[in-house]
Amino acid sequence: MTYDVVVDGKTHQVELARGDKTWLCKIDGQEMEVDAVLTARDVLSVLVEGKAYEIKRERSLQGELHMVIGSARYAVEVQDPRSLRTRRAVAGSEAGPQKVKAPMPGKIVRILVNEQDEVKAGQSLIVMEAMKMQNEMKSPKDGRVQKILTAEGSTVNAGDTLAIVE
Amino acid sequence: MTYDVVVDGKTHQVELARGDKTWLCKIDGQEMEVDAVLTARDVLSVLVEGKAYEIKRERSLQGELHMVIGSARYAVEVQDPRSLRTRRAVAGSEAGPQKVKAPMPGKIVRILVNEQDEVKAGQSLIVMEAMKMQNEMKSPKDGRVQKILTAEGSTVNAGDTLAIVE
Amino acid sequence: MFKRVLVANRGEIAVRIIRACREMGIESVAVFSDVDRKALHVRKADYAYHIGPATASESYLNVDKILDVARRSQAEAIHPGYGFLSENARFARACADAGVKFIGPSPESMEMMGSKTRARQNMKRAGVPFVPGSEHGLDIDAAERLAEQIGYPVMLKAAAGGGGKGMRMVASPADLHSAYENARSEAQRSFGDNEVYLEKFIVNPRHVEMQIFGDQHGNVVYLGERECSVQRRHQKVMEESPSPIVDEDMRRRMGEIAVRVAKAANYYNAGTIEFLVDEQRNFYFLEMNTRLQVEHPVTEFVTGLDLVHLQMHVASGEKLPFKQEDIKLRGHAIECRIYAEDPDNNYFPSPGQITRLISPSGPGIRRDSGMYEGWTVPIEYDPLLAKLVGYGEDREQAINRLLRALYEYFVGGIKTNTSLFRRILKDPDFRAGNLDTGFLDRLLAKPSNETDVRRPIMAAVGAAIFATMEAKATLPGVTGALPMNGNSASPPPISNWRRTARAEALRQR
Amino acid sequence: MFKRVLVANRGEIAVRIIRACREMGIESVAVFSDVDRKALHVRKADYAYHIGPATASESYLNVDKILDVARRSQAEAIHPGYGFLSENARFARACADAGVKFIGPSPESMEMMGSKTRARQNMKRAGVPFVPGSEHGLDIDAAERLAEQIGYPVMLKAAAGGGGKGMRMVASPADLHSAYENARSEAQRSFGDNEVYLEKFIVNPRHVEMQIFGDQHGNVVYLGERECSVQRRHQKVMEESPSPIVDEDMRRRMGEIAVRVAKAANYYNAGTIEFLVDEQRNFYFLEMNTRLQVEHPVTEFVTGLDLVHLQMHVASGEKLPFKQEDIKLRGHAIECRIYAEDPDNNYFPSPGQITRLISPSGPGIRRDSGMYEGWTVPIEYDPLLAKLVGYGEDREQAINRLLRALYEYFVGGIKTNTSLFRRILKDPDFRAGNLDTGFLDRLLAKPSNETDVRRPIMAAVGAAIFATMEAKATLPGVTGALPMNGNSASPPPISNWRRTARAEALRQR
């Protein structure tokens, strides 16, 4: 099996083949023998030439994947060859309309702009409250507020699109 | 739904009906309103008239069921009306041939009797070792060793029948 | 001693108090709002009562509902924890009227300390040192005159304030007018009281507080200080005891003044006197917190005492079981406040379901937690999930034990600020004890430069292996594929939609 | 300080040492047998090496394999933990020959203390008090003469013994001959050495031991005693510090003798001198354990020190960082040894998979554990799963905190002895400190009479509700049935056969 694995933005090619009791692994061309066992749910114990790693998997409800090794935490995306094209397509685009998404579930306290308003990158658009904290959602770019998709007082989930800036 | 629940040998009849947000429960004829939610796996939070109980379920690999409330632990058997007959049949019988079962996984160290030997209740039949401890399996009754189903040096699982005394 | 105590709080502090009750043979009564039915404090209590919707004003802050539960459950006393009703004198009085003991100081002491200007006047009479400034609210003219007299920079503060609201630093006379107006209107909005006072602004101050404890027989002792200078947006993030800059002499002087403050207010039960410490180690009275503090565990570690047990004893009328000279501090303790917030995304709150929880233990580690695996952190309350406290023979060992424990700590499904503590604990200034209230903001402004070439590669390998296992789990009928020794502890979880799909497949056959 | 340390052990003590390494910035090297690939110590270490099959003699007891890993991993030192190779002088010597530091005493000290008769001779010269008896092995005639002289009852003991093996109490002259022969043959079988000695039998003795610590520069201190009288079949079950019967004067006398013992053996690193204490509080030297004890955490709690850190420092050649007068004991600590054994079934071992684990934490609780949820306890090693240690201002608070923690502790899937501790901690004799080595056997001979009318009924109700939930889970397509607030944290587990059945159903479509 071959995977492209993006770790904190950097893509690694990982080839895995089953050995006798271990995995034969080739990462970015470098070969290693990996002894990996699942100990508890989402917790892998990995040995490579005596070096031990406990690798914990975390999947958030929004679908983000992280690998945690000790105190270090890595944002990870796994692309197997088949789905590669689609995933990439979603990831790219910096230009064009950009969505302002709720980073957490919460309540919309105030909307500071109107549709069609011109805004600057970093300008506050919407104030959200969660866990007794108010947080400002800011414009990702210079542009115009194309659409506001929420209302003051409404409750939103993490990942909901609140506004679109074009 | 109606269940016969045996707790530490005593049978209680439990009727459960769904109320608005709680269960309506009748146990041994006594009615109570039970607010029960599953908090984590196998952990029930139960409120009855303000009194709070955390009830943990434990099922051993041998199929025994226990309920744990605080530090108290109760052996429990749940019989729903359909399977009642069969379960009872298995449980009863004190007379006749009795099985000597391994109470834990381990190794058979020594067999102290031969088939057909006469034995007394409490007489040691077999010595097992597990976790660096040797333990003697004793005869459940006065009788005769009908069969020995294991051999010195062999490894057994919990619940395996080691011998039958008739 | 009480037979039954109502705990009018939620989260880790409710759990901590319920544990103390169980240890003392006291039955505990929990209260919970709609979204807290499954909260840990409900699981751990002997009794639990529903008190209304999530909104605090209709549940945890609702005096009538709390007192109604006290009556129904026949609780003899109420422990308010911190926050919510803990510093509400009206509530303390209502408890007394209802014949229920409030576990804390008298309403009179709370009222006296509740207004900063009143507290200040009383404390001045008791000879307590203050930052030079006004003793009461000022109009703009008086503010101008006083600022000239004590010298800029100065600080404007709301008399009814707290938590950094209604505060304005003024660097020069030109800025005074607008700052004054802003502070007034913020104070009005936040506290319904626009009284503003003014004092000298201390450069690079430390925030050091002294724990005191009094009984109802006039005895008051101090239990050592806590250094609370590590703050983000004026909120404490980490606390320790002892403070790296307080020596025995300074502790004695600060402690004696703290006792004087408490005695001037006829104070009993647990209380904390906050001081500002300047670069010359002069200290100035800031305010008194008339309740148990979030950070009380560091004091428990270094004194060996249990402050919640002590609160129960004192509230039931007992005398303090020790004198000042019996208090012996030993070792060093540091607390990390584990918040549900995302350090990689501007510390946004991060409520949601905790899908995986691996908690540290072992020598010198104490964990006071309100969370458990499978629990959903609600959006309605403050983001404190747990407190991780490390103790050591000395400060260095405490730091290193915390780093070890943080290495083991894993909260999956939501974001927490655990990585922040790792950064702080490894920072050379922190390790040298060079702290002031601006320390953390300065640290966070610097780029984090932890790099490791090996671990990102292992993260990629791990992700690929997990993906392979997953691929297998989705293919029914594939057998014996994983090169794993023995049986897998728990098979990879099957997602909900997949389970549903299977169920439907079964149904349609 | 060492850069890398090999931990030649498994289970909770390996985890505890690995944690100390991480705290000290030392890289840890774990070793594991076939059945320990998934053990917690392997998960927590920086390096891990497979050393062979489950049988200890081919893995954890195999000197060549351990030293081979030390070489391959470039470890500079080896911590042996307790048990396995920890008191093996030949191993300590092999380490020295291989250029690896053995974290413990010198092989010479170990050898001197390894033979009870040799230890006894040396200690007698150092003026250490002994139970009246012979100093060396005796033939039957000499045994008879000596028994007459010191008076019955007397005790026969194996010179090479330990753990109660090869010991025989003799109440009267008539029983001496057969007891002597039995003790000899048991000693031969157990230790390959049939030397037997004889001493006065102490009625209702207590087992009290003194922790000592020495450096390689001739400094030795004592760190307070531990009461270890709560034993089942001569095995310690619970330990505490301080002992309820040791006062300051007795502690000082016992400590000074312990230091004299250590100095007579040129002892360094951690060591423990065991004493027998009679009803008049006379104490007699029993033996010295030349390693870290299982129960060292209670000493850590009352001294505030970390003994494993200290072991590392001393082994690397540093001086002890304190003097005797710097050691200040404070509070009280009690340890419970959590074993995988079934208290309701004659304490049979209970290995198997831990299907559910809920662990206590909070104030005054320390947990040193080698288990985790999902892990399978192997049948090959001793049944110690974890140690639960409670600390309190005084003994009563420590007891009550342990009871609280045991109330929270839940190990599902296998049996553990947690209910035993509840019984002990509630026993009036235990609470009064009336202990001797026969205490626990007497307690266990009494029927347990805890009754509660309410909870068995709630167990029935709970079981029925679980059954209802389960019935739902087996019926695909049933929706919205459970009257549960919010979403269920984790759906009821689906058993393996059921999952397989579904998978097959899917495949066959």
Side-chain angles (χ1 to χ4, degrees):
Chain A
M1 280 143 294
T2 302
Y3 298 91
D4 277 3
V5 185
V6 186
V7 179
D8 281 351
K10 187 160 180 269
T11 304
H12 303 272
Q13 198 182 59
V14 185
E15 281 179 61
L16 286 177
R18 222 168 298 125
D20 182 20
K21 293 188 105 186
T22 57
W23 296 90
L24 301 175
C25 175
K26 204 176 191 178
I27 175 158
D28 303 334
Q30 182 202 341
E31 288 190 18
M32 55 170 95
E33 197 184 334
V34 179
D35 174 5
V37 298
L38 193 65
T39 55
R41 181 166 56 82
D42 289 335
V43 182
L44 215 51
S45 167
V46 174
L47 305 182
V48 181
E49 286 159 24
K51 190 89 187 73
Y53 302 87
E54 179 168 288
I55 305 182
K56 294 159 198 149
R57 170 174 59 177
E58 188 207 357
R59 268 182 303 199
S60 70
L61 295 177
Q62 294 92 277
E64 297 158 3
L65 187 66
H66 285 87
M67 294 290 138
V68 176
I69 305 180
S71 298
R73 178 190 168 92
Y74 300 96
V76 166
E77 220 180 307
V78 179
Q79 302 165 334
D80 80 27
R82 281 163 298 173
S83 61
L84 189 57
R85 202 182 310 270
T86 26
R87 294 281 190 99
R88 281 276 164 77
V90 175
S93 67
E94 285 291 318
Q98 298 243 326
K99 292 175 178 174
V100 178
K101 292 187 176 183
M104 69 245 175
K107 242 187 194 148
I108 302 303
V109 180
R110 260 194 314 286
I111 297 176
L112 306 167
V113 290
N114 294 309
E115 289 188 2
Q116 309 307 328
D117 280 5
E118 298 286 332
V119 292
K120 294 268 168 209
Q123 180 181 336
S124 296
L125 308 180
I126 291 169
V127 181
M128 266 188 79
E129 182 173 301
M131 311 192 93
K132 295 174 73 189
M133 297 273 287
Q134 297 203 350
N135 297 282
E136 298 177 344
M137 306 298 112
K138 294 177 177 174
S139 177
K141 58 182 244 179
D142 290 356
R144 205 170 48 83
V145 179
Q146 190 191 71
K147 219 161 175 55
I148 290 172
L149 294 150
T150 188
E152 291 188 359
S154 62
T155 303
V156 298
N157 286 318
D160 284 1
T161 301
L162 306 179
I164 299 172
V165 178
E166 64 177 8
Chain B
M1 281 144 292
T2 302
Y3 298 91
D4 277 4
V5 185
V6 186
V7 179
D8 280 352
K10 186 160 180 268
T11 304
H12 303 272
Q13 199 184 57
V14 184
E15 281 178 62
L16 286 177
R18 224 170 294 126
D20 181 21
K21 293 188 103 185
T22 58
W23 296 90
L24 301 174
C25 174
K26 203 174 190 181
I27 176 157
D28 302 334
Q30 182 203 340
E31 289 190 18
M32 55 170 97
E33 198 184 331
V34 179
D35 175 6
V37 298
L38 193 66
T39 56
R41 180 166 57 81
D42 289 336
V43 182
L44 215 51
S45 167
V46 174
L47 304 183
V48 181
E49 288 159 23
K51 190 90 188 70
Y53 302 88
E54 179 167 288
I55 305 182
K56 295 159 198 147
R57 170 174 61 178
E58 188 206 356
R59 268 180 304 198
S60 70
L61 295 177
Q62 295 92 276
E64 297 159 4
L65 187 65
H66 285 87
M67 294 290 139
V68 176
I69 306 181
S71 299
R73 180 191 166 91
Y74 300 96
V76 166
E77 219 181 304
V78 179
Q79 303 164 332
D80 80 30
R82 282 162 297 174
S83 61
L84 188 56
R85 204 180 311 269
T86 26
R87 293 281 190 99
R88 281 275 164 79
V90 175
S93 68
E94 284 292 316
Q98 297 244 328
K99 292 175 177 173
V100 178
K101 291 187 176 183
M104 69 249 176
K107 246 192 188 141
I108 302 303
V109 179
R110 259 193 317 283
I111 296 176
L112 306 167
V113 290
N114 293 309
E115 289 186 2
Q116 308 308 327
D117 281 2
E118 298 286 329
V119 291
K120 294 268 168 210
Q123 182 180 336
S124 297
L125 308 179
I126 291 169
V127 180
M128 265 188 80
E129 182 174 300
M131 311 192 94
K132 295 173 72 189
M133 296 274 286
Q134 297 202 352
N135 297 281
E136 299 178 342
M137 304 299 113
K138 294 177 178 174
S139 177
K141 57 182 243 177
D142 291 356
R144 206 170 48 85
V145 178
Q146 190 193 71
K147 216 158 178 58
I148 290 172
L149 295 150
T150 187
E152 291 187 1
S154 62
T155 303
V156 298
N157 286 317
D160 283 2
T161 300
L162 306 178
I164 299 171
V165 178
E166 61 177 9
Chain C
M1 185 44 60
F2 310 117
K3 287 206 179 67
R4 197 173 293 163
V5 167
L6 189 156
V7 181
N9 217 303
R10 63 179 301 283
E12 69 84 20
I13 191 62
V15 172
R16 195 258 173 271
I17 297 163
I18 288 165
R19 280 175 165 156
C21 288
R22 191 170 302 286
E23 289 165 9
M24 300 180 76
I26 298 170
E27 290 185 315
S28 55
V29 181
V31 290
F32 62 91
S33 73
D34 284 349
V35 296
D36 274 344
R37 172 64 185 87
K38 296 183 179 181
L40 193 59
H41 72 286
V42 177
R43 288 175 53 185
K44 293 225 180 280
D46 292 312
Y47 296 83
Y49 288 81
H50 177 242
I51 48 166
T55 312
S57 59
E58 298 175 52
S59 49
Y60 299 106
L61 279 172
N62 189 303
V63 172
D64 292 339
K65 283 181 176 170
I66 301 285
L67 285 176
D68 182 54
V69 171
R71 194 182 44 72
R72 281 158 63 204
S73 67
Q74 298 177 286
E76 296 159 76
I78 297 182
H79 196 305
Y82 52 71
F84 292 130
L85 294 168
S86 62
E87 296 190 274
N88 185 323
R90 190 173 68 80
F91 176 62
R93 194 159 275 130
C95 287
D97 293 345
V100 184
K101 191 71 92 178
F102 175 83
I103 299 172
S106 69
E108 292 73 26
S109 301
M110 290 165 83
E111 273 163 355
M112 189 201 241
M113 289 302 179
S115 158
K116 283 196 181 171
T117 42
R118 281 189 55 204
R120 194 180 174 96
Q121 287 154 11
N122 276 289
M123 295 310 108
K124 269 228 155 147
R125 276 196 293 274
V128 173
F130 278 84
V131 174
S134 64
E135 287 169 34
H136 40 69
L138 297 168
D139 62 24
I140 179 68
D141 293 338
E144 254 179 344
R145 279 194 306 274
L146 184 60
E148 280 305 324
Q149 184 194 320
I150 62 179
Y152 286 86
V154 295
M155 198 75 176
L156 290 165
K157 293 187 176 181
K165 291 225 169 89
M167 277 168 64
R168 287 288 182 286
M169 196 269 270
V170 189
S172 69
D175 303 330
L176 186 68
H177 268 257
S178 67
Y180 183 83
E181 285 313 316
N182 286 338
R184 263 179 101 83
S185 65
E186 195 167 317
Q188 180 66 45
R189 272 203 312 281
S190 301
F191 313 109
D193 176 353
N194 70 0
E195 204 175 321
V196 163
Y197 66 99
L198 180 149
E199 59 188 31
K200 177 92 183 146
F201 176 79
I202 307 290
V203 179
N204 292 337
R206 285 176 181 253
H207 176 137
V208 177
E209 61 187 27
M210 182 61 69
Q211 177 73 52
I212 63 99
F213 224 104
D215 62 24
Q216 297 179 47
H217 309 275
N219 304 301
V220 184
V221 296
Y222 61 91
L223 302 176
E225 79 286 356
R226 292 182 290 257
E227 166 83 52
C228 307
S229 300
V230 180
Q231 305 183 351
R232 203 178 67 82
R233 295 184 179 176
H234 300 285
Q235 297 286 348
K236 295 171 191 171
V237 166
M238 231 171 155
E239 303 93 347
E240 60 184 293
S241 183
S243 161
I245 48 132
V246 175
D247 58 19
E248 263 187 58
D249 173 62
M250 184 173 170
R251 179 172 306 118
R252 192 184 40 72
R253 286 185 291 122
M254 200 180 236
E256 284 170 3
I257 284 166
V259 167
R260 226 184 294 152
V261 169
K263 287 193 168 168
N266 292 315
Y267 197 91
Y268 52 78
N269 218 300
T272 294
I273 321 289
E274 296 192 340
F275 293 98
L276 217 55
V277 181
D278 69 18
E279 291 174 313
Q280 291 73 45
R281 295 168 71 229
N282 299 308
F283 55 91
Y284 309 101
F285 176 81
L286 210 52
E287 62 173 324
M288 179 167 192
N289 296 321
T290 58
R291 52 159 162 85
L292 190 70
Q293 298 278 85
V294 176
E295 58 269 26
H296 73 277
V298 297
T299 298
E300 294 186 324
F301 255 137
V302 298
T303 58
L305 301 172
D306 187 307
L307 299 195
V308 178
H309 284 214
L310 215 48
Q311 285 191 293
M312 303 282 189
H313 286 296
V314 160
S316 75
E318 294 175 32
K319 285 191 177 173
L320 282 177
F322 45 71
K323 299 209 180 317
Q324 187 62 54
E325 58 267 29
D326 301 325
I327 307 295
K328 298 268 180 281
L329 307 185
R330 192 180 68 189
H332 200 101
I334 307 178
E335 172 182 281
C336 302
R337 297 190 184 193
I338 311 292
Y339 286 123
E341 58 183 27
D342 186 356
D344 298 331
N345 188 14
N346 204 21
Y347 293 89
F348 276 152
S350 179
Q353 194 182 22
I354 296 168
T355 54
R356 198 76 177 88
L357 180 61
I358 301 177
S359 300
S361 61
I365 293 300
R366 166 174 169 183
R367 202 163 36 78
D368 279 24
S369 164
M371 64 178 158
Y372 61 86
E373 190 174 293
W375 181 58
T376 298
V377 183
I379 65 166
E380 286 84 358
Y381 306 111
D382 93 19
L384 182 63
L385 297 173
K387 299 180 312 204
L388 182 70
V389 195
Y391 172 83
E393 297 164 28
D394 52 28
R395 191 166 184 269
E396 192 188 355
Q397 194 180 65
I399 289 173
N400 291 337
R401 277 182 168 164
L402 274 177
L403 280 168
R404 186 272 293 168
L406 287 164
Y407 188 90
E408 298 178 3
Y409 218 155
F410 176 53
V411 185
I414 60 165
K415 306 292 196 306
T416 67
N417 61 345
T418 46
S419 66
L420 170 67
F421 299 112
R422 188 177 157 80
R423 252 189 103 177
I424 296 171
L425 292 163
K426 294 200 145 193
D427 180 74
D429 275 334
F430 180 85
R431 293 188 76 107
N434 295 331
L435 302 175
D436 63 72
T437 54
F439 161 79
L440 188 51
D441 289 334
R442 288 195 303 274
L443 179 68
L444 291 177
K446 286 186 267 181
S448 167
N449 57 354
E450 277 203 71
T451 48
D452 186 310
V453 288
R454 191 73 186 158
R455 288 199 289 195
I457 289 185
M458 291 315 298
V461 171
I465 291 173
F466 272 121
T468 315
M469 291 177 172
E470 189 115 304
K472 264 187 209 106
T474 57
L475 293 174
V478 175
T479 54
L482 291 179
M484 288 166 49
N485 303 341
N487 54 340
S488 123
S490 341
I494 299 180
S495 74
N496 253 328
W497 68 263
R498 205 173 288 136
R499 192 180 287 117
T500 310
R502 286 182 192 190
E504 284 173 5
L506 271 171
R507 212 165 19 147
Q508 287 164 15
R509 284 185 73 223
Chain D
M1 185 45 61
F2 311 118
K3 286 206 180 66
R4 198 171 292 164
V5 167
L6 189 156
V7 181
N9 216 303
R10 62 178 301 284
E12 69 83 21
I13 191 62
V15 172
R16 194 260 173 271
I17 297 163
I18 288 165
R19 281 176 165 156
C21 288
R22 191 170 303 283
E23 289 164 9
M24 299 179 77
I26 298 169
E27 290 185 314
S28 55
V29 182
V31 290
F32 62 93
S33 72
D34 284 349
V35 296
D36 275 343
R37 172 65 184 87
K38 295 183 180 181
L40 193 60
H41 73 284
V42 177
R43 289 176 51 185
K44 294 225 180 280
D46 293 312
Y47 296 82
Y49 288 81
H50 177 242
I51 48 166
T55 312
S57 59
E58 297 175 54
S59 48
Y60 299 107
L61 279 171
N62 189 303
V63 172
D64 293 339
K65 283 183 176 169
I66 301 284
L67 285 176
D68 182 53
V69 171
R71 193 183 44 72
R72 282 158 63 205
S73 66
Q74 298 178 286
E76 296 160 77
I78 297 183
H79 196 305
Y82 53 71
F84 292 130
L85 294 168
S86 62
E87 297 190 274
N88 186 322
R90 190 173 67 80
F91 176 63
R93 195 160 274 131
C95 287
D97 292 346
V100 184
K101 191 70 91 175
F102 176 82
I103 299 171
S106 68
E108 293 73 25
S109 301
M110 289 165 82
E111 273 162 354
M112 189 202 237
M113 290 301 178
S115 159
K116 282 196 181 171
T117 41
R118 280 191 55 205
R120 193 179 174 95
Q121 288 154 9
N122 275 287
M123 294 312 107
K124 270 228 156 147
R125 277 196 292 275
V128 173
F130 278 84
V131 173
S134 66
E135 287 170 35
H136 39 70
L138 296 168
D139 63 23
I140 179 66
D141 294 337
E144 253 178 345
R145 281 194 304 274
L146 183 60
E148 281 306 324
Q149 184 193 322
I150 61 178
Y152 286 87
V154 296
M155 197 75 176
L156 290 165
K157 294 188 175 181
K165 291 226 170 89
M167 276 168 65
R168 287 289 181 287
M169 196 271 270
V170 189
S172 69
D175 303 331
L176 186 69
H177 268 257
S178 67
Y180 182 84
E181 284 313 318
N182 286 337
R184 262 179 99 84
S185 64
E186 195 168 315
Q188 180 67 44
R189 272 203 313 282
S190 301
F191 314 109
D193 177 352
N194 70 359
E195 203 176 322
V196 162
Y197 66 99
L198 180 148
E199 59 188 31
K200 177 92 183 145
F201 176 79
I202 307 290
V203 179
N204 293 336
R206 285 176 180 252
H207 176 137
V208 177
E209 61 187 27
M210 183 61 70
Q211 176 72 52
I212 63 99
F213 224 105
D215 63 24
Q216 298 180 48
H217 309 276
N219 305 301
V220 184
V221 296
Y222 61 90
L223 302 176
E225 79 286 356
R226 291 182 290 258
E227 166 84 52
C228 307
S229 300
V230 180
Q231 304 183 351
R232 203 178 69 82
R233 295 183 179 176
H234 301 285
Q235 297 286 348
K236 295 172 191 170
V237 167
M238 231 170 155
E239 303 94 347
E240 61 186 293
S241 183
S243 161
I245 47 131
V246 175
D247 58 20
E248 262 188 59
D249 173 64
M250 183 172 171
R251 179 172 306 119
R252 191 184 41 73
R253 286 185 292 121
M254 200 179 236
E256 283 170 5
I257 284 165
V259 167
R260 226 183 295 153
V261 170
K263 286 192 168 167
N266 293 316
Y267 198 90
Y268 53 77
N269 218 300
T272 295
I273 323 289
E274 296 191 340
F275 293 97
L276 218 54
V277 181
D278 70 17
E279 290 173 314
Q280 292 73 45
R281 296 169 69 229
N282 299 307
F283 55 90
Y284 309 101
F285 177 81
L286 209 54
E287 63 172 324
M288 179 166 191
N289 296 322
T290 59
R291 52 162 161 82
L292 189 69
Q293 298 277 85
V294 176
E295 58 270 25
H296 73 277
V298 297
T299 299
E300 295 185 324
F301 255 136
V302 297
T303 59
L305 301 171
D306 187 307
L307 299 194
V308 178
H309 284 214
L310 215 48
Q311 285 191 294
M312 303 281 187
H313 286 296
V314 160
S316 75
E318 295 175 31
K319 285 190 177 174
L320 282 179
F322 45 70
K323 298 208 180 317
Q324 187 62 53
E325 57 267 29
D326 301 323
I327 308 296
K328 298 268 180 281
L329 308 185
R330 192 180 67 188
H332 200 100
I334 307 178
E335 172 182 279
C336 302
R337 298 190 184 193
I338 311 292
Y339 286 124
E341 58 184 25
D342 186 356
D344 298 330
N345 189 14
N346 205 21
Y347 294 88
F348 276 153
S350 179
Q353 194 182 22
I354 296 168
T355 54
R356 198 75 178 88
L357 181 60
I358 301 177
S359 300
S361 62
I365 293 300
R366 167 175 169 182
R367 201 163 36 77
D368 278 25
S369 165
M371 63 179 158
Y372 61 87
E373 189 173 293
W375 181 58
T376 298
V377 183
I379 66 166
E380 285 84 358
Y381 306 111
D382 91 20
L384 182 63
L385 297 173
K387 299 180 311 203
L388 183 70
V389 195
Y391 173 83
E393 297 163 27
D394 52 28
R395 190 166 184 269
E396 192 189 356
Q397 193 179 67
I399 289 173
N400 291 337
R401 276 181 169 164
L402 273 177
L403 279 168
R404 186 271 293 170
L406 288 164
Y407 188 90
E408 298 178 3
Y409 218 154
F410 177 53
V411 185
I414 61 166
K415 305 292 196 307
T416 68
N417 61 345
T418 46
S419 66
L420 171 67
F421 299 112
R422 188 178 157 80
R423 254 188 102 176
I424 296 171
L425 292 163
K426 294 200 146 195
D427 180 73
D429 275 335
F430 180 84
R431 294 188 76 107
N434 295 332
L435 302 175
D436 64 72
T437 54
F439 161 79
L440 188 52
D441 290 334
R442 288 194 303 275
L443 179 69
L444 291 177
K446 286 186 269 182
S448 167
N449 57 354
E450 275 203 72
T451 49
D452 185 311
V453 288
R454 190 74 186 155
R455 287 199 289 195
I457 288 185
M458 292 313 300
V461 171
I465 291 173
F466 272 121
T468 315
M469 292 177 171
E470 188 115 306
K472 285 239 165 74
T474 57
L475 294 174
V478 176
T479 52
L482 291 179
M484 288 167 51
N485 304 341
N487 54 340
S488 120
S490 339
I494 299 180
S495 75
N496 252 329
W497 66 263
R498 204 172 290 138
R499 191 180 287 116
T500 310
R502 287 181 191 191
E504 283 173 7
L506 272 172
R507 209 163 23 147
Q508 287 164 16
R509 284 185 75 221

